[in-house]
PDB file of all heavy atoms in Angstrom:
ATOM      1  N   ASP A  96      33.202 -33.914  18.984  1.00 67.00           N
ATOM      2  CA  ASP A  96      33.969 -32.942  18.202  1.00 67.00           C
ATOM      3  C   ASP A  96      34.404 -33.518  16.863  1.00 67.00           C
ATOM      4  O   ASP A  96      35.307 -32.981  16.214  1.00 67.00           O
ATOM      5  CB  ASP A  96      35.215 -32.513  18.985  1.00 67.00           C
ATOM      6  CG  ASP A  96      34.837 -31.725  20.233  1.00 67.00           C
ATOM      7  OD1 ASP A  96      33.752 -31.116  20.216  1.00 67.00           O
ATOM      8  OD2 ASP A  96      35.631 -31.714  21.185  1.00 67.00           O
ATOM      9  N   PRO A 156      12.072 -31.085  32.565  1.00 87.00           N
ATOM     10  CA  PRO A 156      12.148 -32.557  32.554  1.00 87.00           C
ATOM     11  C   PRO A 156      12.766 -33.104  31.276  1.00 87.00           C
ATOM     12  O   PRO A 156      13.109 -34.278  31.223  1.00 87.00           O
ATOM     13  CB  PRO A 156      10.678 -32.988  32.673  1.00 87.00           C
ATOM     14  CG  PRO A 156       9.905 -31.821  32.148  1.00 87.00           C
ATOM     15  CD  PRO A 156      10.671 -30.600  32.510  1.00 87.00           C
ATOM     16  N   SER A 189      29.105 -30.556  31.857  1.00 76.00           N
ATOM     17  CA  SER A 189      28.491 -30.489  33.189  1.00 76.00           C
ATOM     18  C   SER A 189      27.626 -31.708  33.469  1.00 76.00           C
ATOM     19  O   SER A 189      27.398 -32.049  34.633  1.00 76.00           O
ATOM     20  CB  SER A 189      27.644 -29.211  33.300  1.00 76.00           C
ATOM     21  OG  SER A 189      26.523 -29.281  32.441  1.00 76.00           O
ATOM     22  N   LEU A 255      70.057  -0.401  33.167  1.00 80.00           N
ATOM     23  CA  LEU A 255      70.589   0.147  34.420  1.00 80.00           C
ATOM     24  C   LEU A 255      72.068   0.519  34.271  1.00 80.00           C
ATOM     25  O   LEU A 255      72.527   1.542  34.786  1.00 80.00           O
ATOM     26  CB  LEU A 255      70.416  -0.872  35.557  1.00 80.00           C
ATOM     27  CG  LEU A 255      68.979  -1.022  36.105  1.00 80.00           C
ATOM     28  CD1 LEU A 255      68.922  -2.175  37.101  1.00 80.00           C
ATOM     29  CD2 LEU A 255      68.513   0.271  36.756  1.00 80.00           C
ATOM     30  N   ILE A 289      60.862  43.045  21.718  1.00 80.00           N
ATOM     31  CA  ILE A 289      60.719  43.317  20.279  1.00 80.00           C
ATOM     32  C   ILE A 289      59.441  42.668  19.728  1.00 80.00           C
ATOM     33  O   ILE A 289      58.645  43.301  19.023  1.00 80.00           O
ATOM     34  CB  ILE A 289      61.967  42.812  19.530  1.00 80.00           C
ATOM     35  CG1 ILE A 289      63.201  43.618  19.953  1.00 80.00           C
ATOM     36  CG2 ILE A 289      61.766  42.889  18.026  1.00 80.00           C
ATOM     37  CD1 ILE A 289      64.502  43.064  19.412  1.00 80.00           C
ATOM     38  N   LYS A 385     -58.491  39.563 -47.556  1.00 73.00           N
ATOM     39  CA  LYS A 385     -59.100  39.230 -46.274  1.00 73.00           C
ATOM     40  C   LYS A 385     -60.405  40.009 -46.059  1.00 73.00           C
ATOM     41  O   LYS A 385     -61.379  39.468 -45.529  1.00 73.00           O
ATOM     42  CB  LYS A 385     -58.090  39.519 -45.155  1.00 73.00           C
ATOM     43  CG  LYS A 385     -58.563  39.111 -43.784  1.00 73.00           C
ATOM     44  CD  LYS A 385     -57.469  39.349 -42.766  1.00 73.00           C
ATOM     45  CE  LYS A 385     -57.927  38.930 -41.381  1.00 73.00           C
ATOM     46  NZ  LYS A 385     -56.888  39.171 -40.354  1.00 73.00           N
ATOM     47  N   GLU A 401     -81.108  34.038 -41.914  1.00 85.00           N
ATOM     48  CA  GLU A 401     -82.470  34.244 -42.445  1.00 85.00           C
ATOM     49  C   GLU A 401     -83.149  32.925 -42.739  1.00 85.00           C
ATOM     50  O   GLU A 401     -84.312  32.716 -42.386  1.00 85.00           O
ATOM     51  CB  GLU A 401     -82.387  35.107 -43.716  1.00 85.00           C
ATOM     52  CG  GLU A 401     -81.954  36.546 -43.448  1.00 85.00           C
ATOM     53  CD  GLU A 401     -81.714  37.330 -44.740  1.00 85.00           C
ATOM     54  OE1 GLU A 401     -81.870  36.686 -45.812  1.00 85.00           O
ATOM     55  OE2 GLU A 401     -81.352  38.503 -44.662  1.00 85.00           O
ATOM     56  N   ARG A 451    -124.866 -21.072 -41.657  1.00 80.00           N
ATOM     57  CA  ARG A 451    -123.669 -21.879 -41.486  1.00 80.00           C
ATOM     58  C   ARG A 451    -122.643 -21.517 -42.515  1.00 80.00           C
ATOM     59  O   ARG A 451    -121.453 -21.355 -42.188  1.00 80.00           O
ATOM     60  CB  ARG A 451    -124.061 -23.384 -41.579  1.00 80.00           C
ATOM     61  CG  ARG A 451    -122.875 -24.312 -41.234  1.00 80.00           C
ATOM     62  CD  ARG A 451    -123.319 -25.748 -41.291  1.00 80.00           C
ATOM     63  NE  ARG A 451    -123.835 -26.099 -42.581  1.00 80.00           N
ATOM     64  CZ  ARG A 451    -123.046 -26.436 -43.628  1.00 80.00           C
ATOM     65  NH1 ARG A 451    -121.772 -26.460 -43.504  1.00 80.00           N
ATOM     66  NH2 ARG A 451    -123.625 -26.769 -44.800  1.00 80.00           N
ATOM     67  N   ALA A 495     -72.072  15.031 -32.794  1.00 81.00           N
ATOM     68  CA  ALA A 495     -70.780  14.975 -33.502  1.00 81.00           C
ATOM     69  C   ALA A 495     -70.621  16.162 -34.423  1.00 81.00           C
ATOM     70  O   ALA A 495     -69.549  16.771 -34.511  1.00 81.00           O
ATOM     71  CB  ALA A 495     -70.660  13.656 -34.271  1.00 81.00           C
ATOM     72  N   ASP A 538     -14.706  27.684 -21.899  1.00 82.00           N
ATOM     73  CA  ASP A 538     -13.905  26.465 -22.023  1.00 82.00           C
ATOM     74  C   ASP A 538     -12.638  26.736 -22.830  1.00 82.00           C
ATOM     75  O   ASP A 538     -11.550  26.240 -22.490  1.00 82.00           O
ATOM     76  CB  ASP A 538     -14.745  25.374 -22.695  1.00 82.00           C
ATOM     77  CG  ASP A 538     -14.059  24.019 -22.643  1.00 82.00           C
ATOM     78  OD1 ASP A 538     -13.369  23.746 -21.645  1.00 82.00           O
ATOM     79  OD2 ASP A 538     -14.209  23.238 -23.597  1.00 82.00           O
ATOM     80  N   GLN A 557      10.603  21.448 -12.248  1.00 78.00           N
ATOM     81  CA  GLN A 557      11.995  21.286 -12.660  1.00 78.00           C
ATOM     82  C   GLN A 557      12.927  22.025 -11.716  1.00 78.00           C
ATOM     83  O   GLN A 557      13.968  21.510 -11.312  1.00 78.00           O
ATOM     84  CB  GLN A 557      12.170  21.792 -14.097  1.00 78.00           C
ATOM     85  CG  GLN A 557      11.557  20.877 -15.156  1.00 78.00           C
ATOM     86  CD  GLN A 557      11.682  21.453 -16.538  1.00 78.00           C
ATOM     87  OE1 GLN A 557      12.146  22.584 -16.709  1.00 78.00           O
ATOM     88  NE2 GLN A 557      11.248  20.692 -17.536  1.00 78.00           N
ATOM     89  N   GLY A 588       0.704  14.919   3.087  1.00 88.00           N
ATOM     90  CA  GLY A 588       1.568  15.777   2.287  1.00 88.00           C
ATOM     91  C   GLY A 588       2.950  15.881   2.911  1.00 88.00           C
ATOM     92  O   GLY A 588       3.229  15.347   3.989  1.00 88.00           O
ATOM     93  N   SER A 659      16.016  34.353  22.414  1.00 84.00           N
ATOM     94  CA  SER A 659      15.780  33.061  21.761  1.00 84.00           C
ATOM     95  C   SER A 659      14.277  32.883  21.553  1.00 84.00           C
ATOM     96  O   SER A 659      13.476  33.220  22.424  1.00 84.00           O
ATOM     97  CB  SER A 659      16.339  31.904  22.599  1.00 84.00           C
ATOM     98  OG  SER A 659      15.603  31.757  23.798  1.00 84.00           O
ATOM     99  N   GLN A 678       8.823  16.807  16.084  1.00 85.00           N
ATOM    100  CA  GLN A 678       9.989  15.964  15.839  1.00 85.00           C
ATOM    101  C   GLN A 678      11.078  16.726  15.077  1.00 85.00           C
ATOM    102  O   GLN A 678      12.273  16.542  15.326  1.00 85.00           O
ATOM    103  CB  GLN A 678       9.552  14.734  15.013  1.00 85.00           C
ATOM    104  CG  GLN A 678      10.657  13.767  14.665  1.00 85.00           C
ATOM    105  CD  GLN A 678      11.081  12.923  15.844  1.00 85.00           C
ATOM    106  OE1 GLN A 678      10.387  12.890  16.854  1.00 85.00           O
ATOM    107  NE2 GLN A 678      12.215  12.268  15.740  1.00 85.00           N
ATOM    108  N   ASP A 781     -53.032  22.128 -38.836  1.00 66.00           N
ATOM    109  CA  ASP A 781     -53.270  22.734 -40.153  1.00 66.00           C
ATOM    110  C   ASP A 781     -53.755  21.700 -41.149  1.00 66.00           C
ATOM    111  O   ASP A 781     -54.710  21.938 -41.916  1.00 66.00           O
ATOM    112  CB  ASP A 781     -51.984  23.387 -40.651  1.00 66.00           C
ATOM    113  CG  ASP A 781     -51.594  24.583 -39.797  1.00 66.00           C
ATOM    114  OD1 ASP A 781     -52.448  25.071 -39.040  1.00 66.00           O
ATOM    115  OD2 ASP A 781     -50.416  25.000 -39.866  1.00 66.00           O
ATOM    116  N   GLY A 785     -58.869  20.149 -43.570  1.00 66.00           N
ATOM    117  CA  GLY A 785     -59.566  19.522 -44.703  1.00 66.00           C
ATOM    118  C   GLY A 785     -60.302  18.272 -44.282  1.00 66.00           C
ATOM    119  O   GLY A 785     -61.500  18.114 -44.574  1.00 66.00           O
ATOM    120  N   ARG A 860    -113.075  13.726 -47.521  1.00 83.00           N
ATOM    121  CA  ARG A 860    -112.169  13.743 -48.677  1.00 83.00           C
ATOM    122  C   ARG A 860    -111.858  15.193 -49.084  1.00 83.00           C
ATOM    123  O   ARG A 860    -110.717  15.514 -49.413  1.00 83.00           O
ATOM    124  CB  ARG A 860    -112.788  12.987 -49.835  1.00 83.00           C
ATOM    125  CG  ARG A 860    -112.699  11.479 -49.674  1.00 83.00           C
ATOM    126  CD  ARG A 860    -113.299  10.794 -50.868  1.00 83.00           C
ATOM    127  NE  ARG A 860    -113.161   9.317 -50.738  1.00 83.00           N
ATOM    128  CZ  ARG A 860    -113.695   8.451 -51.575  1.00 83.00           C
ATOM    129  NH1 ARG A 860    -114.411   8.888 -52.648  1.00 83.00           N
ATOM    130  NH2 ARG A 860    -113.527   7.163 -51.386  1.00 83.00           N
ATOM    131  N   ILE A1017      67.442  48.238  21.852  1.00 76.00           N
ATOM    132  CA  ILE A1017      67.109  46.849  22.179  1.00 76.00           C
ATOM    133  C   ILE A1017      67.667  45.912  21.121  1.00 76.00           C
ATOM    134  O   ILE A1017      68.219  44.842  21.421  1.00 76.00           O
ATOM    135  CB  ILE A1017      65.589  46.699  22.328  1.00 76.00           C
ATOM    136  CG1 ILE A1017      65.095  47.458  23.563  1.00 76.00           C
ATOM    137  CG2 ILE A1017      65.197  45.233  22.410  1.00 76.00           C
ATOM    138  CD1 ILE A1017      63.604  47.482  23.714  1.00 76.00           C
ATOM    139  N   LYS A1037      69.301  20.318  28.052  1.00 68.00           N
ATOM    140  CA  LYS A1037      68.360  19.516  28.849  1.00 68.00           C
ATOM    141  C   LYS A1037      69.098  18.674  29.883  1.00 68.00           C
ATOM    142  O   LYS A1037      68.627  17.607  30.260  1.00 68.00           O
ATOM    143  CB  LYS A1037      67.527  18.604  27.938  1.00 68.00           C
ATOM    144  CG  LYS A1037      66.633  19.352  26.976  1.00 68.00           C
ATOM    145  CD  LYS A1037      65.791  18.388  26.172  1.00 68.00           C
ATOM    146  CE  LYS A1037      64.857  19.132  25.228  1.00 68.00           C
ATOM    147  NZ  LYS A1037      64.014  18.219  24.442  1.00 68.00           N
ATOM    148  N   ASP A1186      28.897 -49.637  18.303  1.00 83.00           N
ATOM    149  CA  ASP A1186      28.568 -50.014  16.923  1.00 83.00           C
ATOM    150  C   ASP A1186      29.336 -51.297  16.587  1.00 83.00           C
ATOM    151  O   ASP A1186      30.545 -51.261  16.304  1.00 83.00           O
ATOM    152  CB  ASP A1186      28.951 -48.871  15.975  1.00 83.00           C
ATOM    153  CG  ASP A1186      28.434 -49.127  14.556  1.00 83.00           C
ATOM    154  OD1 ASP A1186      27.733 -50.139  14.348  1.00 83.00           O
ATOM    155  OD2 ASP A1186      28.728 -48.296  13.670  1.00 83.00           O
ATOM    156  N   PHE A1231      22.403 -48.097  27.062  1.00 88.00           N
ATOM    157  CA  PHE A1231      23.230 -48.612  25.992  1.00 88.00           C
ATOM    158  C   PHE A1231      22.406 -48.664  24.713  1.00 88.00           C
ATOM    159  O   PHE A1231      21.260 -49.132  24.707  1.00 88.00           O
ATOM    160  CB  PHE A1231      23.737 -50.033  26.325  1.00 88.00           C
ATOM    161  CG  PHE A1231      24.801 -50.040  27.383  1.00 88.00           C
ATOM    162  CD1 PHE A1231      24.464 -50.120  28.728  1.00 88.00           C
ATOM    163  CD2 PHE A1231      26.140 -49.953  27.041  1.00 88.00           C
ATOM    164  CE1 PHE A1231      25.437 -50.128  29.707  1.00 88.00           C
ATOM    165  CE2 PHE A1231      27.118 -49.964  28.024  1.00 88.00           C
ATOM    166  CZ  PHE A1231      26.779 -50.046  29.359  1.00 88.00           C
TER     167      PHE A1231
END
Side-chain angles (χ1 to χ4, degrees):
D96 293 334
S189 67
L255 285 173
I289 295 172
K385 185 176 181 181
E401 292 173 358
R451 187 178 58 82
D538 190 34
Q557 287 177 355
S659 68
Q678 179 75 13
D781 293 344
R860 283 181 178 174
I1017 292 174
K1037 296 183 178 181
D1186 189 4
F1231 287 89

